[in-house]
Every structure is written in C-alpha cells, then in structure tokens.
Amino acid sequence: MTAEPDVLAAPARPGRARPPAGRLGRLLQQPFLVLSWIIVLVVIGWAVAPGLFTSYGPYDGDSAASFAPPSAEHWFGTDRLGRDLFARSVYGAHTTLTATLLAVLVAFGIGTVVGLIAGFGGGIVDTAIMRVVDVFLAIPSLLLAMVVVSVLGYSTQNIALAVGVSSIASFARVMRAQVLAVVTQDYVKAAYGLGGGRLRVLVRHIVPNSLNSVIALAALEVGTAVLAVASLGFLGYGAPPPQPEWGLLVAEGRDYVAVHPWASIMPGLALALVVISTHRISTSYRKEHRR
C-alpha cells in the first residue's frame, strides 16, 4: 500500500539562498569589514611597493604647483613646495607601518613573556612583577613613549621602541589573566596527573591556550600603535623633514589649514581610515574567537 501524498502540505516556496558557510561567508555578510580589509591591504601595498601606486616621487617638487588643490593629477593636492601629497602619503606608509610593526612586536614579545612568568610563577614573583606593571599602566602611554624617545633620541626606530615599551604592560596583564584562567582547567590538571613536568605542561598546554586573547590584543594594538607613532611624528619626535611620515605630513600642513585645508586633512584622513579599519578587523577577530 503506497502512502498518499499530503495534499494539505504547503507548497514549497522559493526561499532565500543560504548564505555561504564558514568564515568567508561571514566575512562577505559584513561589507564594512570587507572594506576595512581592502583599506589595510592597499596601505600594506603602499608600504611594500609604493612605486606601483604613484608616478610621483616623495621629494619631487614643482614651485609652480605650490598648494594645488586635490585634482585628477594630484589626488591629495600638493604642499607648499609643490610636492604631491598622495605620493608622500604612499611613501610615508613604509615609515609609519614599519615603526608600527616593530612597536607591536616589542610589546607582544616582552609583554607576553612577562605576563607568562607572573601568572605561572605565582606568589611573590607574581606580586612583584604586577606591581611594576601597575606603575607602567598608571602612566599615560603617549607620555611614557615621549619620555623613552627623549632618552633614546629622535628617530623613527626609537619611536617604535618607545611605543612598544609603553604597551608592554597591557600585554603582560592580559597574558597573566589568561595563564591564571588556563592553569585551573581540567586538562592541565590531567596533564600533571599523567606525569607531565611543569615545563612540558607549560609549553604544550598553557602557552598555546593562553595566546588567543593576546593575539587579539596585538591586532587591536596595531591601530593604537599607528596613531601613537603618527602622534609622536606630529610632535617632532620622529623622522626629520623632508622624509615622508604620516604624522609629519599632518604637522607640515597645520599652519595652512585655514587657507589650504587639504595639506593636513588628506594625510590625516588616510591615517584615520587605517586606524578605524584595523580596529574593525580586531573587533571581528575577537568576536570570532568567542564563538
């Protein structure tokens, strides 16, 4: 006996197409995140191969084109010496992003080790280290970076070290918190119960499972470091003129904002877009990590 078809069943309706699965699908559903990735990748391209994005050199000036407004020929306009501001922004990406990368690596490397020692060592070691970290956290990071670069001397490399040193405490605090959370997990206790030594458990279980939040912080710190490096360059602590650097470009045009606003606004806009984009990407990474 064959089953009768259910005539009362609702007819199949063409529904919405299912969104693509996986991380790529979630990425495509977030246009602002896609735009952020595009901006970051383009700026990385500026830093790696600036000659592909502009035919002008960063030092090529034309006195007849002094303070030319943005146009098809000069996308960002020109400065007082007739230098193309888009070209200087493109070439300045290498200086700013190199300093940013070095700063984040210094903060990540040293801060992670310090937080690991504090969290895993415990007792008086933890107390002593965290009291020092608290002192560094009490000092505004930009002020601390200014003090460090004043001691080391004015240069882009010293700015990178100064920004990195000023961020060590944040990484140390996050890493310590993660280590303290991981050491209480059952799998860590089981590893000890199976005869694992402290070093083996540390390397195989505690460190790998403590790094996710620190990596998320590093992604967030990229935008903060870009802003800090540019801020120090704006204040005159970084690369000397005429070397292109984003903070310096904004500073060079500040005296002409009332008459020629693009001299500061266009490099500042590029800087702002990079900072916003990196923060958006880091926020997305943290949400993915929590899933």
Side-chain angles (χ1 to χ4, degrees):
M1 186 177 195
T2 58
E4 292 292 333
D6 188 357
V7 296
L8 297 180
R13 292 180 298 176
R16 294 182 180 178
R18 292 184 177 180
R23 292 186 177 181
L24 179 60
R26 290 194 292 269
L27 176 64
L28 295 177
Q29 294 174 31
Q30 304 177 68
F32 289 108
L33 180 59
V34 174
L35 179 60
S36 297
W37 272 111
I38 292 174
I39 291 173
V40 169
L41 291 176
V42 168
V43 172
I44 291 175
W46 288 4
V48 174
L52 296 178
F53 295 88
T54 177
S55 59
Y56 292 97
Y59 308 110
D60 299 339
D62 181 6
S63 58
S66 176
F67 285 124
S71 63
E73 184 178 1
H74 301 288
W75 292 0
F76 285 7
T78 62
D79 62 8
R80 64 186 181 86
L81 298 178
R83 297 173 296 191
D84 185 79
L85 284 174
F86 178 73
R88 288 181 61 76
S89 298
V90 169
Y91 280 89
H94 176 77
T95 304
T96 302
L97 294 188
T98 300
T100 298
L101 179 61
L102 178 57
V104 174
L105 288 176
V106 168
F108 179 85
I110 299 177
T112 299
V113 173
V114 170
L116 179 62
I117 294 173
F120 192 67
I124 190 172
V125 174
D126 182 24
T127 302
I129 291 177
M130 295 314 297
R131 293 299 75 78
V132 175
V133 169
D134 289 341
V135 171
F136 278 89
L137 287 173
I139 304 173
S141 58
L142 184 59
L143 177 60
L144 180 58
M146 291 172 62
V147 172
V148 174
V149 78
S150 297
V151 173
L152 297 177
Y154 298 171
S155 70
T156 304
Q157 293 78 10
N158 291 341
I159 276 185
L161 292 175
V163 173
V165 169
S166 67
S167 303
I168 288 175
S170 299
F171 282 89
R173 194 175 186 88
V174 171
M175 185 63 180
R176 172 184 176 270
Q178 288 299 113
V179 170
L180 291 177
V182 170
V183 294
T184 61
Q185 298 297 314
D186 291 338
Y187 60 85
V188 175
K189 297 176 182 178
Y192 280 122
L194 293 173
R198 285 173 61 85
L199 181 59
R200 181 182 177 86
V201 173
L202 176 67
V203 173
R204 295 198 60 180
H205 299 285
I206 295 177
V207 172
N209 290 287
S210 300
L211 285 178
N212 283 329
S213 293
V214 185
I215 293 174
L217 177 62
L220 179 64
E221 190 66 24
V222 169
T224 304
V226 168
L227 191 58
V229 169
S231 298
L232 291 172
F234 178 85
L235 295 173
Y237 289 90
Q243 184 175 346
E245 192 273 327
W246 287 351
L248 181 60
L249 293 180
V250 177
E252 288 178 339
R254 62 184 170 181
D255 294 333
Y256 310 98
V257 170
V259 182
H260 310 292
W262 60 84
S264 278
I265 290 177
M266 300 308 289
L269 180 61
L271 172 63
L273 287 175
V274 172
V275 173
I276 294 172
S277 298
T278 54
H279 276 71
R280 180 67 184 85
I281 292 171
S282 66
T283 301
S284 174
Y285 178 86
R286 282 183 293 172
K287 289 181 179 179
E288 286 288 331
H289 170 60
R290 291 171 183 168
R291 289 178 182 271

